[in-house]
Amino acid sequence: MAKPSISLTLAIAMMAIAAMTVESRSQAPQANDSNEARIEDLITASHILANEGVLDSFGHITVRSATDPGHFFMPRAMPPALVSRADIVELDLDCKPLLPNAPRLNGERYIHCEVYKARQDVQSVIHTHDLAVIPFGLTNTPLRPVIAQAGFLPKETPLFEIRDAYGPAAERGMLVLNSPLGKALAAKLGDNPAVLMRGHGETVVGRSVKEATVRTLYINIDARAQAAAGSMGPNPMALDDAELATNARENFDADRPWENYRQRMLKAQGQQR
């Protein structure tokens, strides 16, 4: 057998070095991962999800501090579409603001602080009242991964029933307004990427604001696809174990859909560059 030429050998070596460099870069911390960068993503995500109709007037997004994992950033109580840097408040994991005289905070901040306590891997939490998702919790219809881009979901997304968390209490509501309810929701979430909330939407988590946002967008698409397929016939086909396992091995690139939806948002705002 003829030996490969020097040029071919060199080309193969260069390809191997390039592959190793790309892999090492993908595993290394991002140099621009600062609190300000995370907050900028939080603001952009709020505008994206509001533009797509996934966040309504009362949904909210948070991000864990890059410098202190016991802190996180959250907008004050306000419409997500209008969030700016001046609206961001830093809180600890007891859901208390760090600065005195803080503005009015979201009552359901306990969703976020309890999930951050329970999940060290989570860097961002999103709570929506997504109309595409709510019917699944209302009808006990399992939300399943039926599209390829929702392959990050488990075979059945768990459902948080707030009545179970309250127990036989005489007075109860639908909002997660205290630590015990937040802990119950975090427990139902478990190690999953999302949890449904009966009559109340969903909570989605990610290792970054971008990942949590893209997951939220594709959960919306997946829910709409499953509902549409269900109207055509019973038992829409979901991804099977082999397809889910393959998806778990693949690195889902959040940057591509993030930029797509960011440009859609900018265009809607008349800021397309």
Side-chain angles (χ1 to χ4, degrees):
M1 181 180 295
K3 295 182 179 180
S5 66
I6 295 176
S7 59
L8 178 59
T9 302
L10 180 60
I12 293 173
M14 292 298 292
M15 290 174 63
I17 292 172
M20 292 173 62
T21 301
V22 170
E23 182 178 2
S24 64
R25 285 177 180 173
S26 66
Q27 294 175 352
Q30 297 298 312
N32 63 344
D33 185 20
S34 64
N35 284 335
E36 286 304 317
R38 291 186 176 204
I39 290 170
E40 182 179 353
D41 282 349
L42 185 160
I43 295 167
T44 300
S46 297
H47 297 172
I48 287 173
L49 292 179
N51 184 63
E52 297 300 323
V54 176
L55 276 183
D56 64 357
S57 302
F58 300 99
H60 30 83
I61 304 174
T62 62
V63 63
R64 196 192 290 267
S65 169
T67 56
D68 187 341
H71 293 173
F72 67 98
F73 298 98
M74 183 176 202
R76 65 180 176 87
M78 65 179 300
L82 304 179
V83 170
S84 70
R85 180 62 182 88
D87 302 308
I88 305 301
V89 180
E90 186 172 0
L91 297 88
D92 62 24
L93 294 192
D94 290 325
C95 280
K96 296 178 181 178
L98 268 62
L99 298 178
N101 303 317
R104 181 188 173 196
L105 301 174
N106 281 287
E108 289 196 292
R109 59 191 181 276
Y110 295 93
I111 292 173
H112 302 262
C113 59
E114 294 301 333
V115 168
Y116 287 129
K117 285 181 184 177
R119 293 275 300 273
Q120 298 301 312
D121 61 308
V122 169
Q123 301 298 312
S124 182
V125 179
I126 300 177
H127 171 53
T128 85
H129 306 136
D130 188 347
L131 186 57
V133 173
I134 287 175
F136 288 85
L138 291 174
T139 60
N140 284 319
T141 301
L143 178 66
R144 305 186 189 281
V146 298
I147 64 170
Q149 293 83 1
F152 58 85
L153 288 173
K155 297 183 74 171
E156 181 174 333
T157 299
L159 172 64
F160 173 67
E161 173 53 75
I162 198 165
R163 292 178 182 175
D164 296 337
Y166 268 110
E171 295 183 7
R172 62 186 180 214
M174 294 291 290
L175 304 184
V176 180
L177 296 176
N178 57 50
S179 181
L181 292 176
K183 288 180 180 178
L185 184 141
K188 180 60 69 171
L189 171 69
D191 61 358
N192 294 289
V195 60
L196 304 185
M197 303 164 71
R198 193 262 306 166
H200 195 179
E202 63 183 334
T203 294
V204 185
V205 301
R207 294 166 295 182
S208 67
V209 173
K210 289 183 180 181
E211 182 177 70
T213 302
V214 170
R215 283 177 170 179
T216 301
L217 289 163
Y218 279 112
I219 288 173
N220 169 273
I221 296 171
D222 186 79
R224 288 190 282 124
Q226 185 176 340
S231 69
M232 298 179 183
N235 303 318
M237 186 174 294
L239 276 65
D240 63 18
D241 289 334
E243 291 162 339
L244 289 172
T246 300
N247 183 277
R249 291 195 300 270
E250 295 175 349
N251 180 25
F252 186 79
D253 180 11
D255 288 335
R256 184 172 176 179
W258 169 271
E259 188 58 27
N260 176 48
Y261 283 103
R262 189 180 75 87
Q263 290 298 326
R264 283 165 58 104
M265 177 266 294
L266 292 175
K267 185 175 182 179
Q269 294 178 347
Q271 299 175 2
Q272 180 74 39
R273 292 193 293 267

